[in-house]
Every structure is written in structure tokens, then in C-alpha cells.
């Protein structure tokens, strides 16, 4: 924090990766570091484990060599944390969790590291914290990250394409058993409160029924669709369900509460409950597969590598231009920047008039709400 908005004074930029891992993070780190080093001649510092590194002063220099060869790697070479928030830091006191404001320490560490700017790669939680640090004096730019594709201000996030590709392959593969054994196969995908992954993978994989949080389902409608397929000679059905989907008048299935995390709710397991309900209702053998973290792991797709590279380079250009408090984003296919606080307005859900819903219905796909 040496030069404030005076970009001529920039010598050193930090980069951190908050929230969950996501395919393409390393491609962003690489782009940030290479652009900063090659174009501007700055030093780059990687903070370890998200804000944890800022709070405890854990960092390491990132040279050109350090970021060479990481484009295709899953995860984040810097480590990440979903629980570390400098404004509400969970400290253990005699087995009890006590939350403390350690933001002054985090800001002091940024000064000690002589960071002139910080690029925060993360989702709504990370970017919300970034907004507060920015207001408290740390010049920040944001890079939106999530497989869920639910961040406001950007049309797409890197990691989403990879998650959809993995989920689609899973849907493709369960067809074999569903078709051979005349079963119903349910594939549960991630997405938190949004149905983007389920919608895309459901259409790409030819799911017969797609259940998303934005359209509460009824068991009767799901069963009716399965019976309708049977009368047409289709003895199997594939259901793609978002982890956050819920029945009409009901709630999503919570798998776990992570008390220390800013966003403590973890969804998951609906597919197993639904499998039992459907088997009882239709009399057809039903199986469930929950993909979970498989969707976040491994190498990013070409699309995500390209997007991550463009976003990372643009983030550095924002720093060079003194455009702090901004998040790089995609709008109308172009890389732009928007205010950093936009993702804080809540998740970007699937609008009920989204063209992909119509496209799916056009080929007979049910959203489990037809009766
Ligand atoms: O936001 C990414 C995501 O994978 C969501 O789709 C999912 O709900 C959540 O993170 C899972 O979190 P965790 O890795 O803490 O179980």
C-alpha cells in the first residue's frame, strides 16, 4: 500500500485465491503474474490459503518460472480457504468458536509486504471481503471464480464450462446402466442455490427431467413424466438434479453446516431421497449418483483456460490503470470491468424466461413442475 491510486508507484502486486478451488484458478494466477512481470515489470507475491495468508503474513514471491507450466493444473498452487474472513475470523478458545475482527492485522501485513495492490480471485464471499478491505485502504481488483456460474456482473465464470463438461460426461455414462437395466438414474450436480450446472449438463446430456432450485418440483410431475416415457416405450429415465433443488413448498437438502464459514450451508444428498421417493411412487428401480467435488477437480477445459487467461491479464491492466474496486467480468462476450460490490447483491439465478429452459422444453424435457 505504497502508492494508493498513483499507478506510477506500483512495484508489487499480491494475488490470493479465496473460497473453493475451481478449474482455471491456476490459469488466472499465471496470467496475473506473467502480465505483471512481462508488461509492467512488477514483483508478484502469492498469498497462501486465501485471506489466511494475509492475516498471518504467509506469502511467497511468484516468479515467471513459478507460474510456468500451471495453466493446465486443477486446484490452486496458492491454496485456498472457505472459512478465513479477516472481519469475522474464527478463533478457537477452549473448544468454543469465537469470531474476531483481525482486519487491522491483515492490512498491516499487506503494508509489511509492500503490496501496492491485491488481485483477489474468488466468489461472492471472497469478493465481499475484498470490498471491505478496499474501503479500509487496500487497493484491490477482483476476478470472479466459481463453477456455479452464479455471480452477478458477469455472464460467465471460469470453471463452469469444466464442471458442465464433467457433469455431462457423467450423465452420458449413466445412460448405459439406465438403459440396460431399465432403471431410473439420478445424477446430482453442484451449483449451490443456482441451477446453471444442472440446466446445461441436463440439456447437453439429454436428461429427461432436470430439477433446479429456481423451479420447485412436484413428485407427481416427475412420476408422470417417467410414466409418459414408459408409454412411449422408453423403459429408462435420466434425471439431472441440482443439489439446491427443492420440492414445492419444501426446502433444499442440507448436507452439512460449516460453522466457521461465512456461508455455512452445504447442500447435497437430494438425489438419494428422491431415488427412494421415485422408486416408491413408480415401482421402477431407481439409483442415485452424487458427483460432488469431481466437478471441481482436474484440468480446466480449453474454454476455461482461455477465459481465465483473459480475465487474469485484464485484472492486471485494471491495476495499471488505477481502476481499483473493480471486478473483471464478461459482458456480451467482451472482457470488461464492473464494480467489485456487484456480486454481493446475491446469487445470479436462472431466470424463468431463460432461453435454455424453452430449448429444453422444446425437446420434451420436464422440469418437474408440469402438473
Ligand atoms: O461454490 C462451489 C461449490 O462447489 C458449490 O457448488 C457447492 O455447493 C459448494 O461449493 C461445496 O462446498 P464445499 O467444497 O465446502 O463442500
Amino acid at each position: 500500500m505504497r502508492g494508493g491510486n498513483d499507478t506510477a508507484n506500483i512495484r508489487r502486486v499480491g494475488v490470493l485465491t479465496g473460497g473453493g478451488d475451481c478449474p482455471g484458478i491456476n490459469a488466472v494466477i499465471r496470467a496475473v503474474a506473467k502480465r505483471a512481470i512481462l508488461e509492467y515489470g512488477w514483483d508478484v507475491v502469492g498469498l497462501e490459503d486465501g485471506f489466511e495468508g494475509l492475516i498471518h503474513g504467509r506469502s511467497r514471491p511468484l516468479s515467471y518460472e513459478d507460474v510456468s507450466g500451471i495453466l493446465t493444473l486443477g486446484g490452486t498452487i496458492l491454496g485456498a480457504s472457505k472459512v478465513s474472513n479477516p472481519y469475522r475470523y474464527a478463533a478457537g478458545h477452549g473448544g468454543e468458536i469465537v469470531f474476531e475482527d483481525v482486519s487491522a492485522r491483515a492490512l498491516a501485513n499487506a503494508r509489511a509486504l509492500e503490496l501496492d495492490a491485491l488481485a483477489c480471485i474468488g466468489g461472492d464471499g471472497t469478493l465481499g471481503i475484498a470490498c471491505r478491505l478496499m474501503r479500509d485502504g487496500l487497493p484491490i481488483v477482483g476476478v470472479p471464480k466459481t463453477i456455479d456460474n452464479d455471480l452477478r456482473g458477469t455472464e460467465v465464470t471460469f470453471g463452469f464450462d469444466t464442471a458442465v463438461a464433467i457433469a455431462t460426461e457423467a450423465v452420458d455414462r449413466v445412460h448405459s446402466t439406465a438403459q440396460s437395466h431399465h432403471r431410473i438414474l439420478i445424477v446430482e450436480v453442484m451449483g449451490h442455490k443456482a441451477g446453471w450446472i444442472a440446466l446445461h449438463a441436463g440439456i447437453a446430456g439429454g436428461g429427461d427431467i432436470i430439477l433446479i432450485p429456481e423451479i420447485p418440483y412436484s413428485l407427481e410431475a416427475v412420476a408422470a413424466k417417467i410414466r409418459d416415457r414408459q408409454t412411449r416405450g422408453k423403459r429408462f429415465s435420466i434425471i439431472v438434479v441440482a443439489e439446491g433443488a427443492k420440492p414445492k413448498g419444501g426446502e433444499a437438502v442440507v448436507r452439512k453446516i460449516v460453522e466457521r464459514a461465512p456461508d455455512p450451508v452445504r447442500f447435497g444428498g437430494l438425489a438419494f431421497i428422491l431415488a427412494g421417493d421415485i422408486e416408491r411412487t413408480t415401482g421402477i428401480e431407481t439409483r442415485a449418483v452424487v458427483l460432488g467435488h469431481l466437478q471441481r477437480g482436474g484440468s480446466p477445459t480449453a474454454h476455461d483456460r482461455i477465459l481465465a487467461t483473459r480475465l487474469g491479464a485484464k485484472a492486471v491492466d485494471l491495476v495499471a490503470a488505477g481502476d481499483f474496486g473493480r471486478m473483471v467480468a464478461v459482458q456480451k462476450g467482451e472482457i470488461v470491468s464492473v464494480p467489485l460490490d456487484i456480486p454481493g447483491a446475491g446469487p445470479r439465478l436462472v431466470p424463468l424466461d431463460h432461453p435454455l429452459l424453452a430449448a429444453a422444453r422444446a425437446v420434451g424435457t420436464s422440469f418437474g413442475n408440469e402438473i
Side-chain angles (χ1 to χ4, degrees):
M1 293 197 289
R2 288 184 299 203
N5 281 7
D6 182 355
T7 57
N9 285 337
I10 289 178
R11 302 266 187 283
R12 181 172 297 149
V13 290
V15 55
L16 69 75
T17 59
D21 61 288
C22 173
I25 295 185
N26 284 325
V28 179
I29 295 171
R30 169 182 176 269
V32 166
K34 286 198 170 183
R35 182 83 175 151
I37 293 165
L38 294 177
E39 179 66 25
Y40 300 105
W42 300 336
D43 292 337
V44 183
V45 174
L47 281 307
E48 293 176 359
D49 302 335
F51 291 111
E52 201 70 17
L54 200 56
I55 293 165
H56 297 290
R58 282 199 282 111
S59 67
R60 61 179 189 262
L62 287 180
S63 68
Y64 186 91
E65 276 311 310
D66 291 326
V67 298
S68 216
I70 66 170
L71 174 64
T72 60
L73 291 185
T76 158
I77 59 163
L78 294 175
S81 169
K82 288 186 89 167
V83 298
S84 193
N85 176 355
Y87 294 92
R88 195 170 177 272
Y89 189 69
H93 287 293
E96 216 179 291
I97 299 172
V98 177
F99 292 99
E100 293 172 358
D101 184 343
V102 296
S103 56
R105 200 205 302 174
L107 291 161
N109 280 330
R111 278 192 295 274
L113 286 167
E114 301 190 331
L115 297 184
D116 299 309
L118 179 64
C120 289
I121 306 167
D124 54 346
T126 300
L127 298 176
I129 295 165
C131 278
R132 294 185 71 175
L133 288 169
M134 171 84 202
R135 275 181 223 125
D136 287 343
L138 181 57
I140 287 185
V141 295
V143 182
K145 167 240 64 157
T146 173
I147 62 164
D148 303 336
N149 201 35
D150 64 347
L151 288 185
R152 282 178 202 252
T154 186
E155 285 160 8
V156 64
T157 51
F158 69 86
F160 173 64
D161 185 68
T162 306
V164 169
I166 294 165
T168 301
E169 186 184 346
V171 175
D172 289 350
R173 286 181 184 272
V174 298
H175 268 82
S176 305
T177 304
Q179 188 264 331
S180 305
H181 291 270
H182 318 299
R183 287 178 183 169
I184 297 162
L185 254 296
I186 305 175
V187 178
E188 180 179 304
V189 301
M190 282 184 164
H192 207 231
K193 291 179 183 159
W196 293 108
I197 299 177
L199 180 60
H200 282 249
I203 293 176
D208 306 299
I209 300 168
I210 301 172
L211 304 181
I212 61 176
E214 294 85 348
I215 305 177
Y217 66 88
S218 81
L219 189 57
E220 295 72 35
V222 171
K225 174 66 184 176
I226 291 165
R227 289 195 193 100
D228 177 59
R229 279 178 55 79
Q230 290 224 308
T231 59
R232 293 166 193 269
K234 295 288 187 189
R235 296 173 64 197
F236 73 94
S237 289
I238 304 289
I239 303 177
V240 180
V241 55
E243 62 178 359
K246 45 186 172 276
K248 282 180 188 163
E251 293 300 327
V253 177
V254 174
R255 171 174 51 88
K256 191 177 166 74
I257 298 285
V258 185
E259 277 179 41
R260 303 161 76 94
D263 183 359
V265 177
R266 300 289 179 270
F267 297 122
L270 170 61
F272 294 115
I273 295 169
L274 203 54
D277 290 345
I278 290 174
E279 193 166 297
R280 269 188 301 279
T281 310
T282 64
I284 304 170
E285 197 171 3
T286 305
R287 292 283 199 277
V289 177
V290 177
L291 296 187
H293 295 89
L294 283 178
Q295 294 155 99
R296 296 217 311 244
S299 193
T301 58
H303 172 278
D304 280 339
R305 295 178 199 180
I306 292 166
L307 178 57
T309 299
R310 294 178 77 197
L311 291 172
K314 174 76 176 180
V316 173
D317 291 343
L318 290 184
V319 172
D323 275 344
F324 299 118
R326 311 280 298 175
M327 174 184 90
V328 291
V330 180
Q331 277 177 13
K332 297 197 173 103
E334 299 294 321
I335 305 293
V336 298
S337 77
V338 299
L340 189 57
D341 60 4
I342 285 190
R348 187 177 69 90
L349 302 178
V350 177
L352 295 182
D353 61 352
H354 195 279
L356 279 189
L357 297 176
R361 288 191 178 108
V363 294
T365 306
S366 163
F367 286 93
N369 70 332
E370 286 79 12
I371 46 175

